[in-house]
Coordinates of all heavy atoms in Angstrom, one line a residue:
M1 N 235.1 132.4 11.0 CA 234.6 132.1 12.4 C 234.0 133.4 12.9 O 232.9 133.3 13.4 CB 235.8 131.6 13.2 CG 235.4 131.2 14.6 SD 234.3 129.7 14.6 CE 234.1 129.5 16.3
M2 N 234.7 134.5 12.9 CA 234.3 135.8 13.4 C 233.0 136.2 12.6 O 232.0 136.5 13.2 CB 235.4 136.8 13.3 CG 235.2 137.9 14.2 SD 235.3 137.4 15.9 CE 235.4 139.0 16.7
K3 N 233.1 136.0 11.3 CA 232.0 136.5 10.5 C 230.7 135.6 10.7 O 229.6 136.2 10.8 CB 232.3 136.3 9.0 CG 233.0 137.6 8.4 CD 233.2 137.4 6.9 CE 233.8 138.7 6.4 NZ 234.3 138.6 5.0
T4 N 230.9 134.4 11.0 CA 229.8 133.5 11.3 C 229.1 133.9 12.5 O 227.9 134.0 12.6 CB 230.3 132.0 11.4 OG1 231.0 131.7 10.2 CG2 229.1 131.1 11.6
T5 N 229.9 134.2 13.6 CA 229.3 134.6 14.9 C 228.5 135.9 14.7 O 227.4 136.0 15.2 CB 230.5 134.8 15.9 OG1 231.3 133.7 15.9 CG2 229.9 135.1 17.2
I6 N 229.1 136.9 14.0 CA 228.4 138.1 13.8 C 227.1 137.9 13.0 O 226.0 138.5 13.4 CB 229.3 139.1 13.1 CG1 230.4 139.5 14.0 CG2 228.5 140.4 12.6 CD1 231.5 140.3 13.3
G7 N 227.1 137.0 12.0 CA 225.9 136.7 11.2 C 224.8 136.1 12.1 O 223.6 136.6 12.0
V8 N 225.2 135.2 13.0 CA 224.2 134.6 13.8 C 223.6 135.6 14.8 O 222.4 135.6 15.0 CB 224.8 133.4 14.6 CG1 223.9 132.9 15.7 CG2 225.2 132.2 13.7
V9 N 224.4 136.5 15.3 CA 223.9 137.5 16.3 C 223.0 138.4 15.5 O 221.9 138.7 16.0 CB 225.1 138.3 16.8 CG1 224.6 139.5 17.5 CG2 225.9 137.4 17.8
A10 N 223.3 138.8 14.3 CA 222.5 139.6 13.5 C 221.1 139.0 13.3 O 220.0 139.6 13.4 CB 223.1 140.0 12.1
I11 N 221.1 137.7 12.9 CA 219.8 137.0 12.7 C 219.0 136.9 13.9 O 217.8 137.2 13.9 CB 220.1 135.5 12.1 CG1 220.7 135.7 10.7 CG2 218.9 134.7 12.2 CD1 221.4 134.4 10.2
L12 N 219.6 136.6 15.1 CA 218.9 136.6 16.3 C 218.3 137.9 16.7 O 217.1 138.0 17.1 CB 219.8 136.1 17.4 CG 220.2 134.6 17.4 CD1 221.2 134.3 18.5 CD2 219.0 133.7 17.5
A13 N 219.1 139.0 16.5 CA 218.6 140.4 16.7 C 217.4 140.7 15.8 O 216.4 141.2 16.3 CB 219.7 141.4 16.5
F14 N 217.5 140.3 14.6 CA 216.4 140.6 13.6 C 215.1 139.8 14.0 O 214.1 140.4 14.1 CB 216.8 140.1 12.2 CG 215.7 140.3 11.2 CD1 215.5 141.5 10.6 CD2 215.0 139.2 10.8 CE1 214.5 141.7 9.7 CE2 214.0 139.3 9.9 CZ 213.7 140.6 9.3
C15 N 215.3 138.6 14.4 CA 214.1 137.8 14.9 C 213.5 138.4 16.1 O 212.2 138.4 16.2 CB 214.5 136.4 15.2 SG 214.9 135.4 13.7
F16 N 214.3 138.9 17.0 CA 213.7 139.5 18.2 C 212.9 140.7 17.9 O 211.8 140.9 18.5 CB 214.9 139.8 19.2 CG 214.4 140.3 20.5 CD1 213.9 139.5 21.5 CD2 214.4 141.7 20.8 CE1 213.4 140.0 22.7 CE2 214.0 142.2 22.0 CZ 213.5 141.3 22.9
V17 N 213.4 141.5 17.0 CA 212.7 142.8 16.7 C 211.4 142.4 15.9 O 210.3 142.9 16.1 CB 213.6 143.7 15.9 CG1 212.8 144.9 15.3 CG2 214.7 144.2 16.7
W18 N 211.6 141.4 15.0 CA 210.5 141.1 14.0 C 209.3 140.4 14.8 O 208.2 140.7 14.5 CB 211.0 140.2 12.9 CG 210.0 139.7 12.0 CD1 209.4 138.5 11.9 CD2 209.3 140.5 11.0 NE1 208.5 138.5 10.9 CE2 208.4 139.8 10.3 CE3 209.4 141.9 10.6 CZ2 207.6 140.2 9.3 CZ3 208.6 142.4 9.6 CH2 207.7 141.6 8.9
H19 N 209.7 139.5 15.8 CA 208.7 138.8 16.4 C 209.2 138.6 17.9 O 209.9 137.7 18.2 CB 208.4 137.5 15.8 CG 207.2 136.8 16.2 ND1 206.6 135.7 15.6 CD2 206.4 137.1 17.3 CE1 205.5 135.4 16.2 NE2 205.3 136.1 17.2
A20 N 208.7 139.5 18.8 CA 209.3 139.6 20.1 C 209.2 138.2 20.9 O 210.1 137.8 21.5 CB 208.6 140.6 20.9
Y21 N 208.0 137.6 20.8 CA 207.8 136.3 21.5 C 207.6 135.2 20.6 O 206.9 135.3 19.6 CB 206.6 136.4 22.4 CG 206.6 137.7 23.3 CD1 205.5 138.5 23.4 CD2 207.7 138.0 24.1 CE1 205.5 139.6 24.2 CE2 207.7 139.1 24.9 CZ 206.6 139.9 24.9 OH 206.6 141.0 25.7
A22 N 208.3 134.1 20.9 CA 208.0 132.9 20.1 C 206.6 132.3 20.6 O 206.3 132.3 21.8 CB 209.1 131.8 20.4
T23 N 205.8 132.0 19.6 CA 204.5 131.5 20.0 C 204.4 130.0 19.6 O 205.2 129.6 18.8 CB 203.3 132.2 19.2 OG1 203.6 132.1 17.8 CG2 203.3 133.7 19.6
A24 N 203.5 129.3 20.1 CA 203.2 127.9 19.7 C 202.8 128.0 18.2 O 202.2 129.0 17.8 CB 202.2 127.3 20.6
N25 N 203.0 126.8 17.5 CA 202.6 126.8 16.1 C 201.1 126.4 16.1 O 200.8 125.2 16.2 CB 203.5 125.8 15.4 CG 203.1 125.7 13.9 OD1 202.1 126.1 13.5 ND2 204.0 125.0 13.2
C26 N 200.3 127.4 15.9 CA 198.9 127.1 16.1 C 198.3 126.2 14.9 O 197.4 125.5 15.2 CB 198.1 128.5 16.0 SG 198.3 129.5 17.5
T27 N 198.9 126.3 13.8 CA 198.5 125.4 12.7 C 198.7 123.9 13.1 O 197.9 123.1 12.8 CB 199.3 125.7 11.4 OG1 199.3 127.1 11.2 CG2 198.8 125.0 10.2
A28 N 199.8 123.7 13.8 CA 200.1 122.3 14.2 C 199.3 121.9 15.5 O 198.9 120.8 15.6 CB 201.6 122.2 14.5
T29 N 199.0 122.9 16.4 CA 198.3 122.5 17.7 C 196.8 122.6 17.6 O 196.2 121.8 18.3 CB 198.8 123.5 18.7 OG1 198.4 124.8 18.4 CG2 200.3 123.4 19.0
G30 N 196.3 123.4 16.7 CA 194.9 123.7 16.7 C 194.5 124.7 17.8 O 195.4 125.2 18.5
P31 N 193.2 125.0 17.9 CA 192.8 126.1 18.8 C 193.0 125.6 20.3 O 192.9 124.4 20.6 CB 191.4 126.3 18.5 CG 190.9 125.0 17.9 CD 192.1 124.5 17.2
G32 N 193.3 126.6 21.2 CA 193.5 126.3 22.6 C 194.7 127.1 23.2 O 195.1 128.0 22.5
R33 N 195.1 126.7 24.3 CA 196.2 127.4 25.0 C 197.4 126.4 25.1 O 197.2 125.3 25.5 CB 195.8 127.8 26.4 CG 194.7 128.8 26.5 CD 194.3 129.1 27.9 NE 193.3 130.2 28.0 CZ 192.0 130.0 27.8 NH1 191.5 128.8 27.5 NH2 191.2 131.0 27.8
Y34 N 198.6 126.9 24.7 CA 199.7 126.1 24.6 C 201.0 126.7 25.1 O 201.1 128.0 25.1 CB 200.0 125.7 23.1 CG 198.8 124.9 22.6 CD1 197.8 125.6 21.8 CD2 198.6 123.6 22.8 CE1 196.7 125.0 21.3 CE2 197.5 122.9 22.3 CZ 196.5 123.6 21.6 OH 195.4 123.0 21.1
V35 N 201.9 125.9 25.6 CA 203.2 126.4 26.1 C 204.0 127.1 25.0 O 203.9 126.6 23.9 CB 204.0 125.2 26.7 CG1 205.4 125.6 27.2 CG2 203.3 124.6 27.9
E36 N 204.6 128.1 25.3 CA 205.5 128.8 24.3 C 206.9 128.1 24.3 O 207.4 127.8 25.4 CB 205.6 130.3 24.6 CG 204.3 131.0 24.5 CD 204.4 132.5 24.6 OE1 205.5 133.0 24.8 OE2 203.4 133.1 24.4
P37 N 207.3 127.8 23.1 CA 208.5 127.0 22.9 C 209.8 127.6 23.7 O 210.6 126.8 24.2 CB 208.8 127.1 21.4 CG 207.5 127.4 20.8 CD 206.7 128.2 21.8
N38 N 210.0 128.9 23.7 CA 211.1 129.4 24.3 C 211.0 129.8 25.8 O 211.9 130.4 26.4 CB 211.6 130.7 23.6 CG 212.0 130.4 22.1 OD1 212.3 129.2 21.8 ND2 212.0 131.4 21.3
D39 N 209.8 129.5 26.3 CA 209.6 130.0 27.7 C 210.0 128.9 28.7 O 209.5 127.8 28.7 CB 208.1 130.2 27.9 CG 207.7 130.7 29.3 OD1 208.6 131.4 29.9 OD2 206.7 130.3 29.8
N40 N 210.9 129.3 29.6 CA 211.4 128.3 30.6 C 210.9 128.8 32.0 O 211.4 128.3 33.0 CB 212.9 128.2 30.6 CG 213.6 129.5 30.8 OD1 213.0 130.5 31.1 ND2 214.9 129.4 30.8
T41 N 209.9 129.7 32.1 CA 209.4 130.1 33.3 C 208.0 129.5 33.6 O 207.5 129.7 34.7 CB 209.2 131.7 33.3 OG1 208.3 132.0 32.3 CG2 210.6 132.4 33.0
C42 N 207.4 128.8 32.6 CA 206.1 128.3 32.7 C 205.0 129.3 33.0 O 203.9 129.0 33.4 CB 206.0 127.2 33.9 SG 207.1 125.8 33.6
K43 N 205.3 130.6 32.7 CA 204.3 131.6 32.9 C 203.7 132.1 31.6 O 202.5 132.5 31.6 CB 204.9 132.8 33.6 CG 205.3 132.6 35.0 CD 205.6 133.8 35.8 CE 204.4 134.6 36.2 NZ 203.7 134.0 37.3
N44 N 204.4 132.0 30.5 CA 203.9 132.5 29.2 C 203.2 131.4 28.5 O 203.6 130.2 28.5 CB 205.1 133.0 28.3 CG 205.8 134.1 28.9 OD1 206.0 134.2 30.1 ND2 206.3 135.0 28.1
Y45 N 202.1 131.7 27.8 CA 201.5 130.7 27.0 C 200.9 131.4 25.8 O 200.7 132.7 25.7 CB 200.4 129.9 27.7 CG 199.2 130.7 28.2 CD1 198.1 130.9 27.5 CD2 199.3 131.3 29.5 CE1 197.0 131.5 28.0 CE2 198.2 132.1 30.0 CZ 197.0 132.2 29.2 OH 196.0 132.9 29.7
T46 N 200.6 130.6 24.7 CA 200.0 131.2 23.5 C 198.5 130.7 23.4 O 198.2 129.5 23.7 CB 200.7 130.6 22.3 OG1 202.0 131.0 22.3 CG2 200.1 131.1 21.0
L47 N 197.6 131.7 23.2 CA 196.2 131.3 22.9 C 196.0 131.3 21.4 O 196.2 132.3 20.7 CB 195.3 132.4 23.5 CG 193.8 132.2 23.2 CD1 193.3 131.0 23.8 CD2 193.0 133.4 23.8
C48 N 195.7 130.2 20.9 CA 195.4 130.0 19.4 C 193.9 130.1 19.2 O 193.1 129.3 19.8 CB 195.9 128.7 18.9 SG 197.7 128.5 19.0
V49 N 193.6 131.0 18.3 CA 192.1 131.2 18.0 C 192.0 131.0 16.5 O 192.7 131.5 15.7 CB 191.7 132.6 18.3 CG1 190.2 132.8 17.9 CG2 191.9 132.9 19.8
Y50 N 191.1 130.1 16.2 CA 190.8 129.8 14.7 C 189.8 130.8 14.1 O 188.8 131.1 14.7 CB 190.2 128.4 14.6 CG 189.9 127.9 13.2 CD1 191.0 127.8 12.3 CD2 188.7 127.7 12.7 CE1 190.8 127.3 11.0 CE2 188.4 127.3 11.4 CZ 189.5 127.2 10.6 OH 189.3 126.8 9.3
I51 N 190.3 131.4 13.0 CA 189.4 132.4 12.3 C 188.8 131.6 11.1 O 189.5 131.3 10.1 CB 190.3 133.6 11.8 CG1 191.1 134.1 12.9 CG2 189.4 134.6 11.2 CD1 190.3 134.7 14.1
T52 N 187.5 131.4 11.2 CA 186.8 130.7 10.2 C 186.8 131.4 8.8 O 187.0 130.8 7.8 CB 185.3 130.4 10.5 OG1 185.3 130.3 12.0 CG2 184.8 129.1 9.9
A53 N 186.7 132.7 8.9 CA 186.6 133.6 7.7 C 187.7 133.4 6.7 O 187.5 133.3 5.5 CB 186.5 135.0 8.1
N54 N 189.0 133.3 7.2 CA 190.1 133.1 6.4 C 190.9 131.9 6.6 O 192.0 131.7 6.1 CB 191.0 134.4 6.4 CG 191.4 134.8 7.8 OD1 191.4 133.9 8.7 ND2 191.9 136.0 8.0
N55 N 190.3 131.0 7.3 CA 190.9 129.6 7.5 C 192.4 129.7 8.1 O 193.3 129.0 7.7 CB 190.9 128.9 6.2 CG 191.2 127.4 6.4 OD1 190.9 126.8 7.4 ND2 191.9 126.8 5.4
T56 N 192.6 130.6 9.0 CA 193.9 130.8 9.6 C 193.8 130.9 11.2 O 192.6 130.9 11.7 CB 194.6 132.1 9.2 OG1 193.8 133.2 9.4 CG2 195.0 132.0 7.7
Y57 N 194.9 130.8 11.9 CA 194.9 131.0 13.3 C 195.5 132.3 13.7 O 196.5 132.7 13.1 CB 195.7 129.8 13.9 CG 194.9 128.5 13.9 CD1 195.1 127.6 12.8 CD2 194.1 128.1 14.9 CE1 194.5 126.4 12.8 CE2 193.4 126.9 14.9 CZ 193.6 126.0 13.8 OH 192.9 124.9 13.8
L58 N 195.0 132.9 14.8 CA 195.6 134.0 15.4 C 196.3 133.5 16.7 O 195.7 132.8 17.4 CB 194.6 135.1 15.7 CG 194.1 135.8 14.5 CD1 193.1 137.0 14.9 CD2 195.2 136.5 13.6
A59 N 197.5 134.0 16.9 CA 198.3 133.6 18.1 C 198.4 134.8 19.0 O 198.9 135.8 18.6 CB 199.6 133.0 17.7
Y60 N 197.9 134.6 20.3 CA 198.1 135.7 21.2 C 199.0 135.3 22.3 O 198.9 134.1 22.8 CB 196.7 136.0 21.9 CG 195.7 136.6 20.9 CD1 194.7 135.7 20.3 CD2 195.7 137.9 20.5 CE1 193.8 136.2 19.4 CE2 194.7 138.4 19.6 CZ 193.8 137.5 19.1 OH 192.9 138.0 18.2
N61 N 199.9 136.2 22.8 CA 200.8 135.9 23.9 C 200.1 136.3 25.2 O 199.7 137.4 25.3 CB 202.1 136.7 23.8 CG 203.0 136.1 22.6 OD1 202.9 136.5 21.5 ND2 203.8 135.1 23.0
Y62 N 200.1 135.4 26.1 CA 199.6 135.7 27.4 C 200.6 135.3 28.5 O 201.4 134.4 28.3 CB 198.2 134.9 27.7 CG 197.0 135.6 27.0 CD1 196.6 135.1 25.8 CD2 196.4 136.7 27.6 CE1 195.5 135.7 25.2 CE2 195.3 137.3 27.0 CZ 194.9 136.8 25.8 OH 193.8 137.4 25.2
V63 N 200.4 135.9 29.7 CA 201.3 135.6 30.8 C 200.4 135.3 32.0 O 199.4 136.0 32.2 CB 202.3 136.7 31.1 CG1 203.2 136.4 32.3 CG2 203.1 137.1 29.9
C64 N 200.7 134.2 32.7 CA 199.9 133.9 33.8 C 200.0 134.9 34.9 O 201.1 135.5 35.1 CB 200.3 132.5 34.4 SG 199.8 131.1 33.4
P65 N 198.9 135.1 35.7 CA 199.0 136.1 36.8 C 200.0 135.7 37.8 O 200.4 134.5 38.0 CB 197.6 136.0 37.4 CG 196.7 135.4 36.4 CD 197.6 134.5 35.5
T66 N 200.5 136.7 38.6 CA 201.6 136.6 39.5 C 202.0 135.3 40.1 O 203.0 134.8 39.9 CB 201.3 137.6 40.7 OG1 200.3 138.4 40.3 CG2 202.6 138.4 41.0
T67 N 201.0 134.7 40.8 CA 201.4 133.5 41.6 C 201.1 132.2 40.9 O 201.4 131.1 41.4 CB 200.6 133.5 42.9 OG1 199.2 133.5 42.6 CG2 200.9 134.7 43.8
S68 N 200.6 132.3 39.7 CA 200.2 131.0 39.0 C 201.2 130.7 37.9 O 201.9 131.5 37.4 CB 198.8 131.1 38.5 OG 198.6 132.2 37.6
L69 N 201.2 129.4 37.4 CA 202.0 128.9 36.4 C 201.1 128.2 35.4 O 200.1 127.6 35.8 CB 203.1 128.0 36.9 CG 204.1 128.6 37.8 CD1 205.0 127.5 38.4 CD2 205.0 129.6 37.1
F70 N 201.6 128.2 34.2 CA 200.7 127.5 33.1 C 200.9 126.0 33.2 O 202.0 125.5 33.0 CB 201.1 128.0 31.7 CG 200.2 127.5 30.7 CD1 198.9 127.9 30.5 CD2 200.7 126.5 29.8 CE1 198.1 127.4 29.5 CE2 199.8 125.9 28.8 CZ 198.5 126.4 28.7
N71 N 199.8 125.3 33.4 CA 199.8 123.9 33.4 C 199.4 123.3 32.1 O 198.2 123.5 31.7 CB 198.8 123.4 34.5 CG 198.8 121.9 34.7 OD1 199.1 121.2 33.8 ND2 198.5 121.5 35.9
P72 N 200.3 122.7 31.3 CA 200.0 122.3 30.0 C 199.0 121.1 29.9 O 198.3 121.0 29.0 CB 201.3 121.8 29.4 CG 202.2 121.6 30.6 CD 201.7 122.5 31.7
N73 N 198.9 120.4 31.0 CA 197.9 119.3 31.1 C 196.5 119.8 31.2 O 195.5 119.2 30.7 CB 198.3 118.4 32.3 CG 199.7 117.8 32.1 OD1 200.1 117.4 31.1 ND2 200.4 117.9 33.2
L74 N 196.3 120.9 31.9 CA 195.0 121.5 32.1 C 194.7 122.6 31.1 O 193.6 123.1 31.0 CB 194.8 122.0 33.6 CG 194.9 121.0 34.7 CD1 194.9 121.6 36.0 CD2 193.8 119.9 34.6
A75 N 195.8 123.0 30.5 CA 195.7 124.2 29.5 C 195.2 125.4 30.2 O 194.4 126.2 29.7 CB 194.9 123.8 28.3
R76 N 195.6 125.7 31.4 CA 195.3 126.9 32.1 C 196.3 127.2 33.2 O 197.1 126.3 33.6 CB 193.9 126.7 32.7 CG 193.6 125.5 33.6 CD 192.2 125.4 34.0 NE 192.0 126.2 35.2 CZ 191.2 125.9 36.2 NH1 190.6 124.7 36.2 NH2 191.1 126.6 37.3
C77 N 196.2 128.4 33.7 CA 197.1 128.8 34.8 C 196.6 128.3 36.2 O 195.4 128.5 36.5 CB 197.2 130.3 34.9 SG 197.8 131.2 33.4
T78 N 197.5 127.6 36.9 CA 197.1 127.1 38.2 C 198.2 127.4 39.2 O 199.4 127.6 38.8 CB 197.0 125.5 38.2 OG1 198.2 124.9 37.8 CG2 195.9 125.1 37.2
S79 N 197.9 127.5 40.4 CA 198.8 127.9 41.5 C 199.5 126.7 42.0 O 200.4 126.9 42.9 CB 198.1 128.7 42.6 OG 197.0 127.9 43.1
N80 N 199.2 125.5 41.6 CA 199.8 124.3 42.2 C 200.7 123.6 41.2 O 201.1 122.5 41.5 CB 198.7 123.4 42.7 CG 197.8 122.9 41.6 OD1 198.0 123.2 40.5 ND2 196.6 122.3 42.0
Y81 N 201.0 124.1 40.1 CA 201.8 123.5 39.0 C 203.3 123.7 39.3 O 203.7 124.8 39.7 CB 201.5 124.0 37.7 CG 202.2 123.3 36.6 CD1 202.0 122.0 36.3 CD2 203.2 124.0 35.8 CE1 202.7 121.3 35.3 CE2 203.9 123.4 34.8 CZ 203.6 122.1 34.5 OH 204.4 121.4 33.6
T82 N 204.1 122.7 39.2 CA 205.5 122.8 39.5 C 206.2 122.8 38.1 O 206.1 121.9 37.3 CB 206.0 121.5 40.2 OG1 205.3 121.5 41.5 CG2 207.5 121.7 40.5
C83 N 207.0 123.9 37.9 CA 207.6 124.1 36.6 C 208.8 123.1 36.5 O 209.7 123.2 37.3 CB 208.1 125.6 36.5 SG 208.6 126.1 34.9
T84 N 208.8 122.3 35.5 CA 209.8 121.3 35.4 C 210.6 121.4 34.1 O 211.4 120.6 33.8 CB 209.2 119.8 35.4 OG1 208.2 119.8 34.5 CG2 208.7 119.6 36.8
T85 N 210.4 122.4 33.3 CA 211.0 122.5 32.0 C 212.5 122.7 32.1 O 213.0 123.4 33.0 CB 210.4 123.6 31.2 OG1 211.0 123.7 29.9 CG2 210.6 125.0 31.8
N86 N 213.2 122.1 31.2 CA 214.7 122.3 31.1 C 215.1 123.2 30.0 O 216.3 123.4 29.7 CB 215.4 120.9 30.9 CG 215.2 120.0 32.1 OD1 215.2 120.5 33.2 ND2 214.8 118.8 31.8
A87 N 214.1 123.8 29.3 CA 214.4 124.6 28.1 C 215.1 125.9 28.5 O 215.0 126.3 29.7 CB 213.1 125.0 27.4
G88 N 215.8 126.4 27.6 CA 216.5 127.7 27.8 C 217.8 127.4 28.4 O 218.6 128.3 28.6
Ligands
LIG101 C1 203.4 124.7 11.7 O1 202.8 123.4 11.6 C2 202.4 123.1 10.3 C3 201.6 121.8 10.3 O2 202.3 120.8 11.0 C4 203.5 123.1 9.4 O3 203.1 122.9 8.1 C5 204.2 124.5 9.4 O4 205.4 124.5 8.6 C6 204.6 124.8 10.8 N1 205.1 126.2 10.9 C7 206.2 126.5 11.6 C8 206.6 128.0 11.5 O5 206.9 125.7 12.1
LIG102 C1 207.1 136.1 28.6 O1 206.3 137.3 28.8 C2 207.0 138.4 29.4 C3 206.0 139.5 29.6 O2 205.3 139.8 28.4 C4 208.1 138.8 28.4 O3 208.8 139.8 29.0 C5 209.1 137.6 28.2 O4 210.1 137.9 27.3 C6 208.3 136.4 27.7 N1 209.2 135.2 27.6 C7 209.3 134.5 26.5 C8 210.2 133.4 26.5 O5 208.6 134.7 25.5
LIG103 C1 192.4 136.5 9.3 O1 191.3 137.3 9.8 C2 191.6 137.8 11.1 C3 190.4 138.5 11.6 O2 189.8 139.4 10.6 C4 192.8 138.9 10.8 O3 193.1 139.5 12.1 C5 194.0 138.1 10.3 O4 195.0 139.0 10.1 C6 193.6 137.4 9.0 N1 194.8 136.5 8.7 C7 195.2 136.4 7.4 C8 196.3 135.6 7.2 O5 194.6 137.1 6.5
LIG104 C1 195.6 122.0 40.9 O1 194.7 123.1 40.7 C2 193.7 122.8 39.6 C3 192.9 124.0 39.5 O2 192.7 124.8 40.6 C4 192.9 121.5 40.0 O3 192.0 121.3 39.0 C5 193.9 120.4 40.1 O4 193.2 119.2 40.5 C6 195.0 120.7 41.2 N1 196.0 119.6 41.1 C7 196.5 119.1 42.3 C8 197.5 118.1 42.1 O5 196.2 119.6 43.4

């Protein structure tokens, strides 16, 4: 029981260092702006950019400016969006 708990904590810590922010899966979503899976603030989003040269996607983490929230329906930051996520 104790060992299991320590193992899980170690894995979580490793993941955090290895990849600070969870990004949307760009391969699954395609190019565009998408909500980040672990974000419950509605401010963070992932910009997926398709790289033709090597047939892969690059994922960039972005945060909406101060007063705006990421609206997944419009795929952009808006000041009138109400954050309804239950994640986290
Ligand atoms: C991302 O989505 C693709 C296509 O659905 C899938 O093959 C791949 O395993 C996914 N990657 C992750 C990290 O979930
Ligand atoms: C959202 O972005 C901020 C600023 O970069 C960061 O501190 C925070 O950890 C991010 N949240 C998630 C869930 O990735
Ligand atoms: C694909 O190309 C981009 C732009 O040159 C580069 O940043 C990225 O690391 C490459 N990805 C892979 C998997 O080679
Ligand atoms: C919220 O703002 C966006 C962009 O400013 C606009 O396109 C949209 O119609 C607005 N939605 C509502 C419900 O006001």
Side-chain angles (χ1 to χ4, degrees):
M1 188 61 181
M2 203 62 170
K3 271 185 177 168
T4 305
T5 307
I6 291 167
V8 168
V9 169
I11 289 165
L12 287 175
F14 177 80
C15 287
F16 183 76
V17 171
W18 179 252
H19 195 167
Y21 309 129
T23 60
N25 181 348
C26 291
T27 310
T29 60
R33 295 177 176 80
Y34 302 96
V35 174
E36 292 188 1
N38 295 343
D39 181 36
N40 61 1
T41 63
C42 296
K43 291 193 76 74
N44 298 36
Y45 65 93
T46 302
L47 174 63
C48 295
V49 178
Y50 182 66
I51 308 296
T52 329
N54 53 20
N55 192 33
T56 55
Y57 286 91
L58 288 181
Y60 298 98
N61 287 93
Y62 281 99
V63 181
C64 287
T66 348
T67 56
S68 60
L69 295 172
F70 185 74
N71 183 331
N73 303 316
L74 299 174
R76 51 184 276 217
C77 299
T78 62
S79 54
N80 59 13
Y81 183 67
T82 305
C83 193
T84 53
T85 182
N86 296 317

